[in-house]
Amino acid sequence: MNISILNGRLIDPANGIDDTLDLHIQGQQILAIGAAPEGFEAQETIDASGCIVCPGLVDIAASLRDPGPGRIDLASETAAAARGGITTLVCTPDTQPVIDTPAVIELIHRTARKLRRTRVLIAAALTQGLDGQQLANMAALARAGAVALSNARHPLANTLVERRALEYAATFGLTVMLRPEDPHLRAGGCAHEGAVATRLGLPGIPSCAETVAVARDLALAEHTGARVHFHALSTSGAANQLREAQAAKLPVSADVAAHQLHLTEMDIEGFDADCHVSPPLRTLADREALRQAVADGTIAAICSDHQPHELDAKEAPFPETAPGISGLETLLALTLRLVDEGVLSLTEAIARVTCGPADLLGLPHGRLGAGSPADVCIFEPDTPWTLHRSALCSEGRNTPFDGWEFEGQVTHTLFNGRVVYRRDAREPTQVTSN
Amino acid sequence: MASDRRQNIQLTPDGRLRHFLTIEGLSRELLTHILDIAESFATLPGRPVKKVPALRGRIITNLFFENSTRTRTTFELAAKRLSADVLNFNASTSATAKGETLLDTLRNIEAMHSEMFVVRHSQSGAAHFIARHAAPGVSVINAGDGRHAHPTQAMLDMFTIRRHKGDFTPLRVAIVGDILHSRVARSQILALNTLGVTEVRVVGPRTLIPTEARALGVHVYHDLDEGLRDVDVVIMLRLQKERMDGALLPSESEYFRLYGLTNKRLEAAKPDAIVMHPGPMNRGVEMDSEVADGPRSVILQQVSYGIAVRMAVMSLCMQTHAEERGEA
């Protein structure tokens, strides 16, 4: 189908575009920006007046729970992604079974292709079964389409295994996504080791659990020459270490979860299990340092760190609840909030969720050049709306942002030239009436 | 926008006690009121009939997910002295051990028309969680949750201190031992500061003191002799054996040498200083027997005062609910 998106403010950070321009789509690709080519006839036109048209979002790390037990699956989560304006998702390998064989990759790809809502890419397991012991068949996983390797939230306690994993991955030029956390220093903690956890008597996870791991990982990255990407940084110390490593020309990068840029340890007051996340919400100073690192490009990607859970997982005393936030449907809104708060320009904000993450993994997505896949997000930047957990598309309703007012709501998401989400103007639970 | 989980759920809008989950957020007036009511119940053991009819016909459930004989027994005795019927539910050997969720357990016991849950649980925040999910009209009393709070223990300690010292305001109090893992210490610190003492000190090695201890409103000492200097009250905490295995301490003997209370060390405190311990006590680890059984020890009085304080808290919470139901 040929589609024209008219009258929108088109922002494509990868190509330095920020102008009122039309966008024309032919089949699965972007045909032209600006005037329609001669002879082009659109079967559908979308009036994007008052809206921003940008590349479909690229989420560099989301747990999609499929394959796995329970109601959370690719159908529900890709629907949530589409509603959030996300057209490329990198799925972490912590599924059941773990993504450590080409067969599981093929299964996920096949299901995603059938659903046709968003592109699902795979960060495959770094070690078999994510056990941190035996290296996964990385070359075979890469041949099957894995775009990176990761041990998800499972720690690599053995430094020698980590060294070998980085060396082996570097053999094939594969990026290794590490979630830096020393499991011994974590020691069963469930909240940032700070004033709030001390008062609430919650076992703490010190900041050094992250900085010690980053220091170790950086030393191994330098030694092995591997391309290392840190997933979900949470501390100012780690951001500073990363900045120094990048200045020293090490091939290292990082992302931060969107919620870490807005919440702090104070938000767990009252044992709010929706704010139980891993890594834990840190101090205000950490949050400000992370914001600074995102602003100066040290951290080039903001991700959802989507961790959907069924209701029961959060219905227990705080330490016994499952950590994580269902983040796909708030990624854009939380990122745009950084613009309102003066942290990022609008172009920078969009870059951090489009070409920023794509570039880190060498992906061609997150941009709107002619010939690119027609992945497009259209959103109203100024319409206020209220998030209600009951209205989430994701089967994971675990969000601390229930009741938050946002500006910047997706009206359309196009994936490979198809409209895969179109906001229903009658969505009364989402849109604030005012 | 704040989640409902962050609201103060233990007080009614006009400041009356609905649940008793933590000392945090309670006023000096309310704590003093609890102590005053406990004072009236403390005379019961001397009377021929040791019961009052305050909670006659009410059902109170001891919901213990963690073993504790002493605390459970004093809560049971307190409930019986208030003429309530008591159910004892030992969750560590019952349904939850068979896989039932905490909420399912709660619903089942609510179906037995219990109006008050006395909850002990190994996880911080468990009492808050149960209070949030309890049916309207059901009170929850925290009998110890994880490392978080043990507010009735703190209040019986305050009762003991008031009985011996009268006014709280001029007092210096030292709490010695494993502050990091102690729900008792957290609640004591909050209560002492709310009641306006001059100074609360915590004393122990760095491995047993939270890194952010000062945020609790205490002065931190690592030397016992310095920490005890001129204090009016010494509270020794129980040291759990497993702390030796977790690289927190090298040995019991070294701990006793550095932080064990002896008569010699007690000389640093004021001559009329009292010595307390929430129990159960490890003689020769936290404290020398000479001190534990000595004239300054008020440890056994703490146990007996515990019943009066728990009666006070139970009757206050039940009264609030009765008034909300229009029964009072």
Side-chain angles (χ1 to χ4, degrees):
Chain A
M1 181 186 267
N2 292 352
I3 300 174
S4 287
I5 302 169
L6 308 176
N7 309 317
R9 177 180 168 191
L10 195 145
I11 300 179
D12 178 15
N15 291 304
I17 300 172
D18 180 357
D19 205 348
T20 302
L21 289 167
D22 297 338
L23 182 74
H24 308 284
I25 294 166
Q26 185 170 53
Q28 297 187 3
Q29 293 187 325
I30 293 167
L31 179 67
I33 291 171
E38 201 169 329
F40 176 80
E41 283 191 19
Q43 278 93 47
E44 180 179 354
T45 58
I46 297 171
D47 182 7
S49 301
C51 291
I52 289 171
V53 179
C54 72
L57 274 55
V58 178
D59 186 5
I60 204 167
S63 183
L64 300 181
R65 313 280 193 239
D66 191 354
R71 293 189 309 180
I72 299 166
D73 59 17
L74 279 178
S76 61
E77 302 319 288
T78 54
R83 189 187 209 170
I86 298 165
T87 52
T88 300
L89 271 174
V90 179
C91 165
T92 51
D94 48 348
T95 50
Q96 293 181 44
V98 165
I99 309 176
D100 60 359
T101 63
V104 183
I105 293 179
E106 178 50 32
L107 174 67
I108 294 169
H109 280 165
R110 199 166 53 231
T111 309
R113 275 198 302 271
K114 271 189 206 159
L115 291 165
R116 297 170 71 199
R117 288 206 189 100
T118 187
R119 185 176 296 101
V120 178
L121 304 176
I122 308 289
L126 188 63
T127 60
Q128 293 181 26
L130 303 175
D131 66 359
Q133 300 295 321
Q134 184 69 33
L135 302 191
N137 293 310
M138 300 180 196
L141 293 169
R143 267 201 309 277
V147 298
L149 297 162
S150 161
N151 227 48
R153 301 151 55 82
H154 299 252
L156 285 168
N158 186 322
T159 320
L160 183 60
V161 171
E162 181 176 345
R163 175 195 168 170
R164 299 298 186 220
L166 292 180
E167 284 175 333
Y168 196 71
T171 311
F172 309 105
L174 291 165
T175 298
V176 177
M177 295 175 74
L178 295 174
R179 223 203 62 166
E181 185 174 68
D182 184 294
H184 307 295
L185 288 170
R186 180 188 173 96
C190 64
H192 171 65
E193 185 180 296
V196 178
T198 295
R199 200 156 38 76
L200 296 180
L202 292 171
I205 304 170
S207 297
C208 65
E210 183 165 294
T211 52
V212 163
V214 169
R216 180 183 86 158
D217 297 343
L218 286 173
L220 290 171
E222 185 173 20
H223 185 76
T224 60
R227 170 92 182 77
V228 167
H229 175 82
F230 291 112
H231 167 49
L233 291 189
S234 69
T235 62
S236 62
N240 290 336
Q241 288 169 291
L242 178 69
R243 192 176 284 114
E244 288 173 17
Q246 288 174 339
K249 305 295 182 197
L250 273 183
V252 290
S253 57
D255 64 65
V256 60
H259 55 257
Q260 290 281 4
L261 299 169
H262 294 279
L263 305 175
T264 70
E265 59 175 343
M266 301 299 290
D267 290 290
I268 66 171
E269 285 287 359
F271 300 98
D272 188 348
D274 281 323
C275 290
H276 181 194
V277 294
S278 178
L281 299 172
R282 302 283 185 186
T283 65
L284 191 60
D286 287 309
R287 192 189 77 172
E288 294 311 304
L290 292 171
R291 286 179 164 204
Q292 178 58 43
V294 169
D296 67 21
T298 303
I299 295 175
I302 301 172
C303 72
S304 70
D305 196 18
H306 183 59
Q307 301 287 341
H309 294 297
E310 293 190 35
L311 192 61
D312 287 350
K314 291 285 188 185
E315 292 293 2
F318 188 96
E320 290 183 346
T321 56
I325 285 172
S326 179
L328 294 175
E329 287 158 90
T330 46
L331 174 61
L332 179 65
L334 290 172
T335 303
L336 292 174
R337 206 179 178 98
L338 296 173
V339 179
D340 293 337
E341 294 177 11
V343 178
L344 299 174
S345 69
L346 182 57
T347 303
E348 287 169 336
I350 292 172
R352 298 294 181 267
V353 288
T354 57
C355 57
D359 291 348
L360 295 181
L361 293 184
L363 304 173
H365 312 295
R367 58 202 71 228
L368 291 176
S372 298
D375 298 349
V376 184
C377 170
I378 306 172
F379 64 91
E380 288 175 339
D382 301 322
T383 306
W385 61 285
T386 304
L387 182 87
H388 298 293
R389 75 170 81 230
S390 58
L392 291 175
C393 277
S394 169
E395 281 292 336
R397 306 283 157 80
N398 46 304
T399 175
F401 302 111
D402 185 41
W404 278 45
E405 282 204 0
F406 291 107
E407 290 185 356
Q409 189 176 32
V410 176
T411 62
H412 298 77
T413 303
L414 288 83
F415 167 59
N416 267 342
R418 284 178 62 241
V419 177
V420 292
Y421 172 74
R422 190 190 307 265
R423 192 185 71 199
D424 185 344
R426 294 166 299 174
E427 285 181 34
T429 52
Q430 281 282 355
V431 182
T432 303
S433 52
N434 60 354
Chain B
M1 180 176 293
S3 150
D4 59 349
R5 286 178 170 152
R6 290 169 217 162
Q7 292 168 1
N8 187 344
I9 56 172
Q10 63 179 351
L11 296 177
T12 60
D14 60 353
R16 285 173 303 145
L17 203 58
R18 181 182 282 148
H19 307 287
F20 195 53
L21 309 173
T22 170
I23 302 292
E24 193 172 357
L26 303 187
S27 67
R28 186 172 179 172
E29 290 69 29
L30 183 53
L31 296 191
T32 304
H33 184 49
I34 292 170
L35 296 178
D36 290 344
I37 294 177
E39 200 70 61
S40 68
F41 289 130
T43 59
L44 271 182
R47 295 189 204 162
V49 178
K50 295 176 173 53
K51 280 190 166 188
V52 292
L55 301 186
R56 189 159 55 205
R58 308 288 190 193
I59 299 172
I60 294 176
T61 302
N62 282 327
L63 197 51
F64 276 53
F65 297 89
E66 191 182 67
N67 289 327
S68 163
T69 306
R70 185 184 316 213
T71 303
R72 190 187 55 72
T73 306
T74 54
F75 268 110
E76 183 172 350
L77 198 50
K80 286 179 173 170
R81 284 197 177 157
L82 291 166
S83 303
D85 294 320
V86 182
L87 297 175
N88 283 310
F89 186 86
N90 185 352
S92 61
T93 57
S94 61
T96 48
K98 296 172 190 165
E100 188 175 78
T101 68
L102 188 49
L103 282 183
D104 288 336
T105 302
L106 187 67
R107 297 283 172 257
N108 275 293
I109 294 176
E110 276 175 356
M112 299 173 200
H113 306 292
S114 179
E115 289 161 280
M116 178 175 282
F117 296 135
V118 178
V119 177
R120 168 165 285 201
H121 198 284
S122 61
Q123 298 291 359
S124 301
H128 276 76
F129 175 76
I130 289 175
R132 271 198 303 271
H133 288 87
V138 173
S139 274
V140 176
I141 294 182
N142 187 359
D145 61 331
R147 305 176 181 185
H148 172 231
H150 196 349
T152 59
Q153 173 71 45
M155 288 309 292
L156 76 87
D157 295 334
M158 297 308 110
F159 190 81
T160 309
I161 292 170
R162 192 171 81 164
R163 277 231 157 170
H164 285 87
K165 297 291 175 188
D167 185 11
F168 283 97
T169 52
L171 301 180
R172 285 188 168 78
V173 181
I175 304 173
V176 183
D178 184 1
I179 310 296
L180 180 65
H181 299 94
S182 177
R183 54 195 173 207
V184 175
R186 277 173 183 73
S187 291
Q188 287 168 337
I189 291 164
L190 282 163
L192 288 164
N193 280 327
T194 304
L195 290 166
V197 297
T198 295
E199 186 183 359
V200 183
R201 302 174 182 178
V202 296
V203 186
R206 284 180 188 274
T207 49
L208 297 182
I209 305 279
T211 50
E212 299 286 343
R214 286 176 185 81
L216 298 171
V218 297
H219 297 262
V220 177
Y221 291 79
H222 301 300
D223 181 287
L224 182 60
D225 296 322
E226 280 182 33
L228 293 184
R229 187 161 300 140
D230 295 329
V231 300
D232 302 276
V233 178
V234 184
I235 302 175
M236 303 302 294
L237 296 177
R238 173 174 152 75
L239 186 74
Q240 294 189 326
K241 300 277 185 191
E242 59 261 37
R243 306 298 170 228
M244 304 299 157
D245 305 327
L248 289 163
L249 293 171
S251 66
E252 285 185 356
S253 60
E254 177 153 310
Y255 180 80
F256 181 70
R257 194 162 63 248
L258 294 173
Y259 297 103
L261 191 63
T262 61
N263 274 331
K264 175 80 181 142
R265 295 202 114 132
L266 197 52
E267 287 173 11
K270 284 193 180 163
D272 61 346
I274 56 171
V275 175
M276 301 168 66
H277 192 299
M281 178 173 38
N282 296 309
R283 288 170 186 261
V285 179
E286 297 116 34
M287 199 184 298
D288 198 276
S289 282
E290 274 184 8
V291 180
D293 303 328
R296 301 203 207 175
S297 168
V298 296
I299 294 168
L300 288 177
Q301 291 169 53
Q302 286 176 263
V303 178
S304 101
Y305 294 154
I307 297 161
V309 167
R310 283 165 180 143
M311 288 173 73
V313 171
M314 284 174 161
S315 58
L316 270 176
C317 288
M318 205 68 103
Q319 193 181 346
T320 302
H321 281 299
E323 283 170 12
E324 284 186 331
R325 286 193 298 263
E327 295 170 7

